[in-house]
Amino acid sequence: MPYLGNTKVLDRLPEPDQAITIVDGLFDNIRVAFIEKEPANFSRVLGDTVSSGQAELIKDELAKLFAPKVTGGTVGAVDTFENLQVTGIQELTDRHGFRANVSGAATISGRHWGHTDRRNLKFQVLLDITGDDDQWRLADLTVVDQKEI
């Protein structure tokens, strides 16, 4: 992450490898939120990762990637993300942060008729990431493309 000593630098764009580290951390926290069984825990974990007031607004879009439907209409869960790549970074004009075009793959699993169904997805998402309270938070996510491989 862009740091100068121990201070996070919010007024400059991260390098691509720094952006991947930021995205990987956000994705892992959101992945954990989506496997929570208790609604209060889901909201708490997601609230720690998503910008204030945005969780409810982007929950449906997050579910497309983090809780996709699998065989028989069962809701799956992300096991792992792989091959994350940032293909573009630009500064946000209305707040401190950046927009990143991210592509990668995810391994999804879901229970179906007594067995675990696994799927691999390729995806491309557009993320708005802001620096709030000395922490990176997801402000917006748009699933641009998602397909089973």
Side-chain angles (χ1 to χ4, degrees):
M1 292 180 235
Y3 279 91
L4 179 59
N6 291 327
T7 305
K8 184 188 296 177
V9 180
L10 298 176
D11 60 348
R12 90 169 215 247
L13 293 175
E15 297 295 323
D17 60 328
Q18 294 169 326
I20 288 294
T21 301
I22 294 165
V23 169
D24 191 48
L26 290 172
F27 275 16
D28 193 50
N29 289 339
I30 295 168
R31 182 190 68 77
V32 168
F34 270 90
I35 59 176
E36 284 288 347
K37 303 298 183 209
E38 295 294 325
N41 288 341
F42 171 80
S43 297
R44 180 186 51 76
V45 173
L46 196 58
D48 291 342
T49 305
V50 175
S51 292
S52 178
Q54 289 298 102
E56 281 301 314
L57 296 175
I58 64 173
K59 188 166 76 172
D60 290 342
E61 196 71 6
L62 288 169
K64 290 179 186 178
L65 181 61
F66 292 91
K69 298 229 187 277
V70 294
T71 303
T74 301
V75 174
V78 175
D79 292 327
T80 59
F81 286 104
E82 300 170 346
N83 304 321
L84 291 178
Q85 296 180 336
V86 173
T87 55
I89 300 173
Q90 51 189 157
E91 186 175 357
L92 294 176
T93 57
D94 57 343
R95 57 193 168 226
H96 291 292
F98 63 97
R99 176 168 291 146
N101 191 345
V102 178
S103 61
T107 302
I108 309 295
S109 64
R111 300 275 303 154
H112 176 69
W113 292 101
H115 71 279
T116 300
D117 186 32
R118 295 202 188 284
R119 297 283 188 251
N120 293 315
L121 300 176
K122 282 181 75 169
F123 64 87
Q124 180 180 3
V125 293
L126 187 61
L127 308 174
D128 284 0
I129 299 171
T130 59
D132 295 334
D133 301 325
D134 203 32
Q135 178 180 336
W136 294 109
R137 297 184 190 271
L138 182 66
D140 200 5
L141 174 138
T142 302
V143 177
V144 176
D145 189 31
Q146 179 175 311
K147 59 184 114 187
E148 194 173 316
I149 52 173

